[in-house]
Amino acid sequence: MAARVFTEYTFSMNRRTLLQSLWAAPALAGLPKLTIKDVKVITTSGGARYRWAFLKIITSEPGLYGIGSANNLFQTDAVIAALQSHLRPWLIGKDPDQIEDLWQSSHLKTYWRNGPVNNNVLAAMDMALWDIKGKRAGMPVYELLGGKVRDAVPCYDHVGGADASAAAAAVQKSMASGYRHIRVQFGAYGGGGFIPAGQGSRPEGGRTGQAFDEEVYVERVSKNFEQVRAKVGFEPKLCHDVHSHLSGMNAAEFCRRMQPLQMFFVEDVLAPEQLDWYKEIRKVCTTPQAVGELFTHPFEYYPLISQRLIDFVRCRVSSIGGITPAKKIATMCEVFGCKTAFQEGGDNDPVNQLAAYHVDISSPAFGIQEENHFPASVYDVLPGTAEIRKGYLYGNGKPGLGIDINEELAAKYPMPEARDGGPYRLDRAMDGTVVKP
Ligand code: MG
């Protein structure tokens, strides 16, 4: 009996001591407890024509802050309003060390979750929190994700030409500059599949501009690639982006015709509304599939990865909610033998590029990274912007994301107005029907 009392008393004292020590403890051993003091949205053109928004999370430790990408070319103002009116008042006062909890609770606090605007808000917060965590640790973010598993991040180049001959010359030039992976397009997205303006049979009084035709695309683009391969050989790893312009069997037929050309991948042959067709594509060819530039919800990428229907996941890191979900997607890819090919785009910004870099360089599931390059002015507005040299992306190894924003300079380059609200430019078919981008 005495022994039992002693045991309970000891346990009780130990628990009390433990709880007291936890209450008194700093957030991380040896580091002072932090709170989020302020949250700012910074917009800029970057000294060019960009419509960029960044989130700056300022902590209670003087000089310690983080930066995240809140860039969304087509709904810029909606993301900014969501950050300022809905995230900022909720985030101030919280503990920036709790990245996963803040991500989960921010994801759920809108009740209706996912979607491009919500994901951009999450991503901006998430990147800034990882930036803070890395600075606190004195380590680049990739060290917190497990450390480097490769020396640098290989990127694929973008080249194009009006015809196969021009495209082949562009591929050779890209190879000479050091790229091994090269995406080839024949003009704008859908290029090779357009009937020129004013030509063909048109509805009376209807549109007269260039019109997209699926069967023309399947025929011409596959023939163009045959000619490109005949000139450049099979050393370059070639990619092509269909940008969701094909429907069911045309997508399958296109991939079948591309099989002898040994593509590194073809991208988004189908719109995200038609993902079940990837099962049919698998039945007719082994052309590798890169999919998911428009993904904003796990229900879109999860079945494709887990059923091994695709080979590369193409999400933009900021469009799926930041580094936290990107690392999880990469881990899921690793389990199922899929790879990552995080999306960039001419509208994308250096903070988002670096967020992708930290996941790319630390993930065994990395496949390839889309390139993005910036004018000199951007390196002044955002010092620490990553560099691509001879086909490889390099970060600077500084703590956090490794990038800063010069707010004075950003203010000198205000974000330009979005004409007509900044819509994505849509293609039309011969009868005027809109083509999915
Ligand atoms: Mg794409």
Side-chain angles (χ1 to χ4, degrees), residues 198-219:
Q199 293 185 20
S201 177
R202 309 272 181 158
E204 292 172 9
R207 291 176 172 82
T208 56
Q210 68 169 11
F212 182 76
D213 186 282
E214 291 195 32
E215 287 74 19
V216 170
Y217 186 91
V218 170
E219 172 71 10

Side-chain angles (χ1 to χ4, degrees), residues 63-189:
L64 179 60
Y65 56 85
I67 290 169
S69 163
N71 161 34
N72 180 329
L73 182 59
F74 309 110
Q75 299 194 83
T76 319
D77 297 318
V79 174
I80 291 169
L83 289 167
Q84 286 178 333
S85 301
H86 302 297
L87 184 79
R88 183 176 182 274
W90 176 84
L91 197 55
I92 289 174
K94 293 206 163 48
D95 177 357
D97 279 328
Q98 297 186 333
I99 300 176
E100 183 70 42
D101 184 75
L102 287 174
W103 195 95
Q104 297 294 341
S105 48
S106 184
H107 179 55
L108 300 175
K109 81 177 179 59
T110 54
Y111 188 58
W112 288 281
R113 35 211 187 250
N114 299 109
V117 173
N118 276 352
N119 284 358
N120 285 145
V121 169
L122 277 173
M125 178 192 76
D126 183 76
M127 289 176 199
L129 294 174
W130 278 106
D131 193 23
I132 291 166
K133 180 86 82 182
K135 287 173 177 171
R136 285 258 273 175
M139 293 178 188
V141 169
Y142 62 73
E143 293 290 1
L144 306 178
L145 301 177
K148 283 187 182 182
V149 295
R150 55 188 51 81
D151 301 324
V153 170
C155 293
Y156 71 81
D157 197 8
H158 300 138
V159 308
D163 56 25
S165 175
V171 169
Q172 284 163 335
K173 192 176 168 195
S174 176
M175 290 170 74
S177 76
Y179 278 98
R180 299 171 64 235
H181 303 78
I182 303 162
R183 191 193 74 172
V184 181
Q185 303 294 131
F186 304 99
Y189 293 123

Side-chain angles (χ1 to χ4, degrees), residues 215-270:
E215 287 74 19
V216 170
Y217 186 91
V218 170
E219 172 71 10
R220 281 200 203 143
V221 173
S222 58
K223 289 250 166 68
N224 279 353
F225 267 100
E226 282 174 25
Q227 292 171 36
V228 169
R229 275 294 191 210
K231 287 203 174 160
V232 306
F234 282 79
E235 185 190 338
K237 298 174 190 297
L238 299 183
C239 314
H240 177 71
D241 189 354
V242 179
H243 235 257
S244 308
H245 275 47
L246 297 177
S247 53
M249 278 302 176
N250 276 331
E253 176 59 14
F254 178 73
C255 295
R256 193 187 66 80
R257 290 191 194 192
M258 296 296 278
Q259 169 133 0
L261 304 171
Q262 204 181 344
M263 300 297 288
F264 184 72
F265 63 60
V266 296
E267 176 183 347
D268 287 332
V269 291
L270 291 157

